[in-house]
Every structure is written in C-alpha cells, then in structure tokens.
Amino acid sequence: MKLDLHVHTKERSLCARDSEDAQIQAAITAGLHGLFITDHWLLVPEKRLRELNQTYAPFRIFGGIEVNLDGEDLLVLGIQDPLLEKRQLTYPELHTFVRARSGFLILAHPFRYRSKINLPLDTYPPDAIELYTLNTPREAEGEIRAIAQQNGLSLLSNSDAHASWQVGTHYNILQNGVVDEQTIFRQLRLGTHEFYR
C-alpha cells in the first residue's frame, strides 16, 4: 500500500492551490492507494470523507489535521474531534488527548523554520517524525534520524502537498493492502514500512 499521510486541499487550507478532487486524482495517477487530508486547523467532515471514499473507491481517503503548537507543526491522524480545531491544547495536553483516543501523532517537517525542536519529545514523544517531505531540509536528515532513535519514533516520508503536481513525490510503502486506520498506525509504529522520496 502506497500512502501519503500529509496532503492539503484548498477547501480548508488557504495556502493550498488545488481541491480535494484534484489532489486525490493526482494521487491515483501517481499510483498511490490512499492519502490523509491534513488541512491546517480544520478537519474534513465525516460525511465528506464518506462521499470521497464512495466516489474514489477502492482508493482510500482518511481524515487528519495539521496544528501548530509552540512553533512546531504536528499532524493528528485518526481522530475526528472538533476540539482539535479550537487551538486550545498545549502540546502535553494534545499528546494525552491523542493517546487517549488511539490516534497517531506526527512531528511534521522538523527544522523547517528553526534550528532546534521546541517540544519536550523525551517526555511526550509523538508516534513518528517526518524524515522526508518537500518542506524538510535535506541537511537535517542526520539530526532527524538521531532524534527518532533517541525517542523511539518511526520515520516517515510524506509529500506535504499543497498542489497536485506535488502529490506522489514522497510516500510510505506499507506491507498490507488497503486497510483501516488502526492497522496502518500499528504498521507505522513498528517501522516495517519503506519510503519513496
């Protein structure tokens, strides 16, 4: 299963250039089997996710969200709770919130904006960290790998696509076919997936 966990759409991300449909079509053309829509501070409504999955089956569309806390961007997957849109949680609170709901927490494109990570990863480790994206500095690869090893984080490759031409540039290759979110999360935590970048 070829899966991108970090895609934006213009329906909910002002910085995105292309629509849900355009991003999904681009992913299908690129040979992906699924993606997570992770717009900034806004969730895809569950009804809309069902509609998209019906339209594009067997391709899979999952919901997520990108939030910014303490200057760091984080992806939350597997939770459809509007509290995530309200910008009220601290990082420790978000970590506890995600853990209590069996979600998946990713540190997105580290070192994009600053030379150090501004979160207590040793105390509140996310599930994964993005090693490769269009917005992750390549010169930070060694440091990202070291952080992942020190904190027991899985490494990911996601596009962070804001336009359809960016979809398919980075993705994760899972062993199984199209499956449910919890099965995806279990595989990613084990680190048995491969990358395309």
Side-chain angles (χ1 to χ4, degrees), residues 4 19 21-22 34 40 45 52 61 69 78 84 95 102-103 112 115 117 127 156 159 164 182 189:
D4 189 344
S19 67
D21 292 298
H40 297 283
L52 290 170
I61 301 100
L69 298 175
L84 291 168
H95 186 276
S102 301
R112 180 181 182 185
S115 60
I117 302 298
D127 295 291
L156 299 175
S159 68
S164 58
Q182 289 304 316
R189 288 186 183 106

Side-chain angles (χ1 to χ4, degrees), residues 127-180:
D127 295 291
I129 185 170
E130 289 184 327
L131 178 62
Y132 303 118
T133 75
L134 291 168
N135 292 309
T136 304
R138 288 297 169 96
E139 62 272 17
E141 180 175 342
E143 193 165 358
I144 293 169
R145 287 185 181 276
I147 289 169
Q149 186 171 12
Q150 291 164 9
N151 295 284
L153 312 181
S154 290
L155 294 166
L156 299 175
S157 179
N158 297 313
S159 68
D160 187 15
H162 289 69
S164 58
W165 67 266
Q166 299 172 323
V167 176
T169 57
H170 299 72
Y171 55 83
N172 306 280
I173 306 169
L174 280 64
Q175 299 301 315
N176 295 339
V178 178
V179 289
D180 63 274

Side-chain angles (χ1 to χ4, degrees), residues 9 11-13 20 37-39 41-53 61-65 79-82 85 181:
T9 68
E11 281 84 355
R12 284 164 300 278
S13 288
E20 297 166 336
I37 297 176
T38 53
D39 287 315
W41 290 109
L42 288 171
L43 294 159
V44 182
E46 290 186 65
K47 179 182 177 186
R48 181 61 180 151
L49 284 174
R50 287 193 298 272
E51 291 169 352
L52 290 170
N53 276 288
I61 301 100
F62 302 98
I65 192 169
I79 302 173
Q80 286 291 120
D81 190 317
E85 301 175 320
E181 287 177 325

Side-chain angles (χ1 to χ4, degrees), residues 13-131:
S13 288
L14 294 177
C15 53
R17 292 180 52 190
D18 288 312
S19 67
E20 297 166 336
D21 292 298
Q23 299 291 65
I24 294 165
Q25 290 283 9
I28 293 169
T29 300
L32 273 61
H33 302 104
L35 60 76
F36 281 76
I37 297 176
T38 53
D39 287 315
H40 297 283
W41 290 109
L42 288 171
L43 294 159
V44 182
E46 290 186 65
K47 179 182 177 186
R48 181 61 180 151
L49 284 174
R50 287 193 298 272
E51 291 169 352
L52 290 170
N53 276 288
Q54 288 173 354
T55 300
Y56 292 103
F59 188 87
R60 293 296 307 275
I61 301 100
F62 302 98
I65 192 169
E66 182 170 346
V67 300
N68 182 285
L69 298 175
D70 298 321
E72 300 293 346
D73 290 326
L74 297 141
L75 305 176
V76 178
L77 310 181
I79 302 173
Q80 286 291 120
D81 190 317
L83 182 61
L84 291 168
E85 301 175 320
K86 297 191 182 300
R87 307 181 189 217
Q88 295 176 340
L89 300 173
T90 65
Y91 177 67
E93 290 170 341
L94 177 69
H95 186 276
T96 301
F97 182 87
V98 173
R99 288 284 175 271
R101 289 157 182 79
S102 301
F104 196 80
L105 186 61
I106 302 167
L107 179 58
H109 42 65
F111 304 108
R112 180 181 182 185
Y113 301 113
R114 55 174 51 90
S115 60
K116 61 178 268 184
I117 302 298
N118 200 31
L119 298 174
L121 301 184
D122 53 341
T123 308
Y124 301 100
D127 295 291
I129 185 170
E130 289 184 327
L131 178 62

